[in-house]
Amino acid sequence: MTLKYVLPVIALTASAALSAEEYQLFTGLTADHVRVSGDNETNWNLDGTYFFDKKQTLGPLDQFEYINKVSNVDAGFKRSYDRNFWNVGGEYFADNKLVFSAEHSRTSGFYSNKVGIGYLISDDIIVRAEATKPKDGSTSYLFSGSYNHQLQGNDYVGFTATVDDEFDFFTLSSKYFAALGEDRYIAVGVLLADNDGSSTWGAAADYYFSQMTSVGVSYNKADDYSLNAKHFFNRNWALVAGFGSNTDSSDTKVYSLGVNGQF
């Protein structure tokens, strides 16, 4: 069950308006407590991304441009159901046009490698091709394109389409971000996917009371739902909490608590 975890509680408000901030390093530590039919499990996730140039916020401290144009490296570790998952990767933008990407992931004797190449046609359009080779498996290929339609100010509507080389799998996603005035914002995302005739969809929305505080909700075709809340105590540290479940399987519940750092 894929969930965007959330907490059905808070509405902490920031006391002062903030100007646009700039960050290069992003880190996060999250604990997910999963309860299934009386059985309990706590999973941990630690990740970080470093950008080689500063990223500027669009208002909320966790909202940035739709198409990234900055070289970066990232790494992550996850402890889930007594198994360890590792990944390391990054993107390199050459001459602000060509982009090369790579990722290595590993768990319990299994690993996969992914490499990609892309081209930034303009500040608002990027196309990519990626190849993934798992251990003892065949190579798969994905092709994607993203388009950012800039609206007034920092508002935008973004679209991304992805398809495999045999046209058996495709996704179409979109995100809308807008300022509502008085330091209030909204972000809405939708996803449509088809895997060899099996279709699915999902939607999520976040409402920002201020640049530092937000609540959100998500729902998908499998009847997974989640509620979440996030609050920045200062420009660098945020607390994230959430709850997720399924309308057809109330025995499954996920409680999430995490802390994010931005520098």
Side-chain angles (χ1 to χ4, degrees), residues 125-239:
I125 302 175
I126 190 170
V127 292
R128 295 175 181 267
E130 295 179 327
T132 302
K133 176 66 170 69
K135 178 184 179 182
D136 302 325
S138 57
T139 302
S140 60
Y141 300 91
L142 285 179
F143 306 92
S144 66
S146 296
Y147 168 66
N148 174 76
H149 181 67
Q150 201 65 38
L151 303 173
Q152 182 179 2
N154 288 331
D155 300 359
Y156 69 79
V157 181
F159 302 91
T160 297
T162 304
V163 66
D164 71 345
D165 58 321
E166 297 181 348
F167 296 94
D168 292 327
F169 170 82
F170 76 86
T171 66
L172 177 63
S173 63
S174 181
K175 181 181 177 180
Y176 171 68
F177 171 79
L180 303 177
E182 300 179 352
D183 286 333
R184 296 175 295 115
Y185 305 85
I186 189 171
V188 179
V190 294
L191 170 70
L192 304 175
D194 186 276
N195 188 3
D196 200 18
S198 177
S199 63
T200 186
W201 56 265
D206 291 288
Y207 175 80
Y208 291 82
F209 298 96
S210 71
Q211 294 169 310
M212 302 177 74
T213 304
S214 65
V215 295
V217 61
S218 72
Y219 191 80
N220 65 25
K221 185 181 179 181
D223 294 321
D224 300 324
Y225 69 90
S226 68
L227 306 170
N228 67 65
K230 186 174 188 177
H231 177 67
F232 281 85
F233 293 98
N234 54 44
R235 69 177 299 273
N236 298 117
W237 294 103
L239 179 67

Side-chain angles (χ1 to χ4, degrees), residues 2-263:
T2 301
L3 296 171
K4 180 186 173 187
Y5 306 120
V6 246
L7 180 78
V9 230
I10 13 197
L12 303 172
T13 56
S15 59
L18 300 176
S19 59
E21 300 284 353
E22 293 182 330
Y23 300 96
Q24 285 186 255
L25 175 64
F26 298 80
T27 62
L29 174 63
T30 306
D32 295 325
H33 184 73
V34 184
R35 179 177 295 177
V36 182
S37 301
D39 294 329
N40 297 283
E41 181 78 23
T42 299
N43 300 322
W44 296 88
N45 187 73
L46 174 66
D47 59 68
T49 303
Y50 177 77
F51 291 88
F52 290 91
D53 201 356
K54 294 180 179 180
K55 300 276 291 179
Q56 188 175 75
T57 63
L58 300 181
L61 298 188
D62 62 356
Q63 290 291 329
F64 301 85
E65 61 185 354
Y66 184 69
I67 297 177
N68 174 58
K69 308 176 188 69
V70 180
S71 300
N72 61 84
V73 292
D74 66 83
F77 168 77
K78 183 175 183 179
R79 176 72 174 176
S80 180
Y81 297 100
D82 298 324
R83 298 179 66 187
N84 294 332
F85 299 81
W86 304 83
N87 70 276
V88 60
E91 297 176 303
Y92 173 68
F93 285 82
D95 297 325
N96 297 319
K97 290 294 183 182
L98 275 176
V99 55
F100 302 92
S101 60
E103 181 181 60
H104 174 78
S105 58
R106 176 179 295 269
T107 178
S108 303
F110 173 85
Y111 64 85
S112 68
N113 294 305
K114 180 168 65 175
V115 295
I117 186 171
Y119 187 75
L120 193 63
I121 298 174
S122 71
D123 285 347
D124 294 319
I125 302 175
I126 190 170
V127 292
R128 295 175 181 267
E130 295 179 327
T132 302
K133 176 66 170 69
K135 178 184 179 182
D136 302 325
S138 57
T139 302
S140 60
Y141 300 91
L142 285 179
F143 306 92
S144 66
S146 296
Y147 168 66
N148 174 76
H149 181 67
Q150 201 65 38
L151 303 173
Q152 182 179 2
N154 288 331
D155 300 359
Y156 69 79
V157 181
F159 302 91
T160 297
T162 304
V163 66
D164 71 345
D165 58 321
E166 297 181 348
F167 296 94
D168 292 327
F169 170 82
F170 76 86
T171 66
L172 177 63
S173 63
S174 181
K175 181 181 177 180
Y176 171 68
F177 171 79
L180 303 177
E182 300 179 352
D183 286 333
R184 296 175 295 115
Y185 305 85
I186 189 171
V188 179
V190 294
L191 170 70
L192 304 175
D194 186 276
N195 188 3
D196 200 18
S198 177
S199 63
T200 186
W201 56 265
D206 291 288
Y207 175 80
Y208 291 82
F209 298 96
S210 71
Q211 294 169 310
M212 302 177 74
T213 304
S214 65
V215 295
V217 61
S218 72
Y219 191 80
N220 65 25
K221 185 181 179 181
D223 294 321
D224 300 324
Y225 69 90
S226 68
L227 306 170
N228 67 65
K230 186 174 188 177
H231 177 67
F232 281 85
F233 293 98
N234 54 44
R235 69 177 299 273
N236 298 117
W237 294 103
L239 179 67
V240 185
F243 170 76
S245 188
N246 183 282
T247 58
D248 290 334
S249 180
S250 59
D251 290 339
T252 300
K253 294 180 172 62
V254 180
Y255 304 88
S256 179
L257 186 65
V259 59
N260 291 352
Q262 301 180 186
F263 307 91

